[in-house]
Amino acid sequence: MTGTTDIESVETFRARSKAWIEANLPLLSEPWVETRELQRLLFDNGYAGISYPKEYGGAGLTIEHQKAFYDIVAEQDRQVPSELMVSIGIIGPTILDNGSQELKQRFLPPLLRGDEVWMQLLSEPRGGSDMAGTTCRLKRDGDTYFLNGSKMWSSGAYHADYGLCLCRSDWDAPKHRGLSTIAVPLQGNPPGLTIERTRAVSGEAGHFCEEFFDDMPLPADNLIGEENAGWSVAQSLLFHERNAVGGIGMGYLGGWRRGGGAGAFTGIDVGPLREAAERRGVGGAVGTMIADAVISSVVDPLTSDRITLGLQLGTHKGHRGSLSKLQSSLSLHGVARAALAIEGAAALVWDGDDVQLDNAGTSWLAARGSTIAGGTSEMQRNTISERLLGLPREPAFDRDIPFNEVLRNLGKF
Amino acid sequence: MRLDLTEDQEFFRATTRKFLESEVPLATVRSLYDTVDGFDRTWWQQAAELGWTSLFVPESLGGGSLSGAPATDAVIVAEEMGRLVSPGPFLAVNVVAAALAWFGSDAQQAQVLAGVLSGESIATWAFAELDGRWDAASVVTTAGLDGDSVVLDGVKAYVEAAGVADWFLVTARTGEGLTQVLVPADAPGVTVTRGRSIDMTRRFGKVALSQVRLPASAIVGKAGTAGPAVERQLHLALALQSAEMVGVAERTLEFTLEYGRERFAFGRPIVSYQALKHRIADMAVTIEGSKAVTDALATAIDTDDPKVALLASVAKAYVGEHCLDIVDDCVQITGGIGVTWEHDVHLYNRRAAVDRAMYGSPEEHKALLATNTEGAA
Ligand SMILES: Cc1cc2nc3c(=O)[nH]c(=O)nc-3n(C[C@H](O)[C@H](O)[C@H](O)COP(=O)(O)OP(=O)(O)OC[C@H]3O[C@@H](n4cnc5c(N)ncnc54)[C@H](O)[C@@H]3O)c2cc1C
């Protein structure tokens, strides 16, 4: 991503992207185009993985080019395959950072083409925040690894092709030194794998799943990074995840800016709140809630833009993405709460015998998702205070002792 | 302050910081508390030499910005002033300089800007009145037209540096519309009541105008049509104020962390406790957000962006609220010494509280945002 001299200027790229987007990408108001098909369209025209190196199927340009492209997408209300945010914004960059040449050549082009969709296998029934405490076992036998244990909350595992799985390969080493990451195929009923969809809080079949691994065989070539070096892979994954959620860096993919209309600061749509307030004629405290939503809708994207710029210029380093992740997830929760308050009883009660899901009440039930998924707000605050501001780390009782001596969950976990 | 400063701007920032640190360190700020004016006029002229008063003044009159983007330049100074709760009517003087540069006649510019540039004279902004609101509807002072004269009647309040000002840019009402008039402090009928604030150095006063008769050439722009001009000045005031609050908040957090790293309780530094760490993390978020929205506002002013009014209200509502909350929580983290005269945090609390209220409170700006998408004014 250096050597800007021999790279197409952002201006010419912007101009040609604009023309291409106008001619080719469907509008948000048009029928929904299937994710993989849409990604294939981007790939075939050189707009998939804009900041990925060419040798792995990317466009070989910079994050600035990527940002230009997705800004046009947002301005023009165009569809992009935002369901691939995890693959392209998180897993791809993690493989780029950590994979061998062969691994990158094997996995990145199909990922960018939309042929292989990825998701993350990190959280477990045992816990999600303490990711390095994984109790999934990975054991090598010749050219094959065998995986045992279970993962939980895995978004989209039922339709994804691969999961990036963090597991424990050495139980005698201290917590962080016995981890490995490996690509786990999910489709076609591979032996040793059971996937169950979790029922979401709305009552519907959830987007997330639980996986059970029972001596699941995996080729040794699927290992991402070295054996027992899984923690550094996981850290780079978390870094990209925060960025993707905060709309920063390689994670600037337009998904979260969707639906803002031309020139609007997007991400949060205040329109429905205003309409509800007008309809119901509630003043005072409600006005403050609307104003707070307006403020978030303006400040959050400006903040992530500032951090993106800072990372580019080098004035910002490391874990700044946590600022945006924390900010935007709190805002989303705040807006869901405002909608609940402003819409009142009508958001919770309806006529007829059918369950209805399209209401502020049901959205409220899932509103904490944003402050839990991708590292809870508390974990972001730990990262910001410790990694960004250098404050003393939390005392921990599980470091520097063999992992099999560490205290774990009591009872049923 | 933008991340992508030009070399000139970076140099300006560095010299501004050095100047403030050496000429008006906190010890000096404390001693200025006991002075009537709150700042030293000779020092102000030195500041003017550094370019503090020239940014909005046209080059033809000896001024000039660093980058062609004067609001972006000016927020650099404002942020540095916030870091050291510095004295001096930087905001008020620059808002008037900008108003004259943008809307003033050649004669008005020639009459006022040379003195402002050199720091010898002080021009200040007289918008709000006794009810302490910065919106057009609250202006009841009248500017009556009488032949070749304009006659002012009313009381302007919350006027920064009123006691030392040579010129007041007075906003008054002519029928339905607003009129801005450049009033010399010694004009017959002008009575200034000096005042103080809880800030160590920032003084505000009242300006009573009783049948103040001036030639019509004292009107800035055209009588009855100053609404948009006043809005633009308010946007600039809010940008400078937001930048100052960014400096206040960031510096307060810095010294609070320095203190908290060295202060131990139960065998560990107080800032190792998660109850404090998590609040501090939230402060880091809102400081980053405050910087982002302040920069965007300054840029919007420099580029005449139609979103400027929205940004101005969002900036004030967001930065105004979080800056004081950060300082307030830093007092809590500092503990008992934080509510003494001896500890510096009150200097920041004073400035943060005054900034929060002036030019419209976060609550007032939220009320605007709640009902219309346009924001300030
Ligand atoms: C919508 C959604 C999608 C998700 N998608 C995925 C996915 O695709 N892949 C995946 O692997 N996981 C996924 N997750 C799981 C998510 O990452 C975890 O839920 C999350 O990390 C928290 O883990 P937990 O639920 O086990 O809670 P715990 O880790 O048990 O935490 C419980 C509470 O304790 C707090 N806590 C824990 N440790 C600390 C600490 N050190 N300091 C302060 N407080 C602490 C937490 O903040 C939380 O409030 C998803 C979750 C949601 C809601």
Side-chain angles (χ1 to χ4, degrees), chain A residues 50-111:
Chain A
I50 293 168
S51 59
Y52 281 64
K54 276 193 178 141
E55 50 181 323
Y56 306 124
L61 297 168
T62 70
I63 286 167
E64 239 181 300
H65 294 82
Q66 180 171 329
K67 193 165 175 303
F69 184 87
Y70 284 100
D71 280 344
I72 300 168
V73 166
E75 267 162 35
Q76 304 211 351
D77 291 330
R78 301 284 165 165
Q79 295 182 31
V80 278
S82 51
E83 279 169 58
L84 295 178
M85 193 255 256
V86 170
S87 297
I88 296 171
I90 304 176
I91 307 280
T94 305
I95 293 177
L96 264 181
D97 286 353
N98 298 282
S100 63
Q101 180 94 359
E102 297 79 54
L103 193 92
K104 291 188 227 181
Q105 261 148 6
R106 156 67 187 85
F107 284 118
L108 290 177
L111 180 153

Side-chain angles (χ1 to χ4, degrees), chain A residues 86 119-130 151-156 208 241 368-379 382 394, chain B residues 274 278:
Chain A
V86 170
M119 44 74 57
Q120 327 188 46
L121 296 169
L122 307 170
S123 304
E124 302 178 0
R126 165 206 59 81
S129 301
D130 186 7
K151 291 283 176 183
M152 205 177 168
W153 306 120
S154 328
S155 298
F208 17 78
E241 171 163 44
R368 276 286 163 196
S370 66
T371 58
I372 293 171
T376 65
S377 293
E378 289 74 26
M379 296 308 293
N382 286 345
E394 288 303 299
Chain B
Q274 204 175 50
H278 282 194

Side-chain angles (χ1 to χ4, degrees), chain A residues 54-234:
Chain A
K54 276 193 178 141
E55 50 181 323
Y56 306 124
L61 297 168
T62 70
I63 286 167
E64 239 181 300
H65 294 82
Q66 180 171 329
K67 193 165 175 303
F69 184 87
Y70 284 100
D71 280 344
I72 300 168
V73 166
E75 267 162 35
Q76 304 211 351
D77 291 330
R78 301 284 165 165
Q79 295 182 31
V80 278
S82 51
E83 279 169 58
L84 295 178
M85 193 255 256
V86 170
S87 297
I88 296 171
I90 304 176
I91 307 280
T94 305
I95 293 177
L96 264 181
D97 286 353
N98 298 282
S100 63
Q101 180 94 359
E102 297 79 54
L103 193 92
K104 291 188 227 181
Q105 261 148 6
R106 156 67 187 85
F107 284 118
L108 290 177
L111 180 153
L112 289 178
R113 217 183 294 123
D115 289 348
E116 289 180 358
V117 176
W118 283 69
M119 44 74 57
Q120 327 188 46
L121 296 169
L122 307 170
S123 304
E124 302 178 0
R126 165 206 59 81
S129 301
D130 186 7
M131 216 171 86
T134 173
T135 52
C136 277
R137 285 169 195 270
L138 190 70
K139 230 179 146 171
R140 186 170 184 148
D141 186 0
D143 281 346
T144 306
Y145 280 104
F146 290 91
L147 182 61
N148 278 287
S150 63
K151 291 283 176 183
M152 205 177 168
W153 306 120
S154 328
S155 298
Y158 60 96
H159 65 55
D161 298 282
Y162 278 92
L164 187 152
C165 181
L166 181 70
C167 39
R168 186 164 307 282
S169 39
D170 184 348
W171 288 66
D172 296 321
K175 182 173 171 180
H176 297 91
R177 279 177 253 154
L179 302 173
S180 296
T181 43
I182 191 159
V184 176
L186 300 168
Q187 292 303 312
N189 293 315
L193 173 69
T194 312
I195 302 181
E196 283 176 9
R197 282 177 83 166
T198 307
R199 196 170 179 189
V201 70
S202 65
E204 293 209 301
H207 187 54
F208 17 78
C209 304
E210 185 165 359
E211 300 78 22
F212 302 92
F213 310 110
D214 182 10
D215 264 335
M216 182 181 189
L218 298 164
D221 288 345
N222 281 18
L223 202 67
I224 299 166
E226 301 287 310
E227 187 174 304
N228 295 331
W231 185 236
S232 64
V233 180

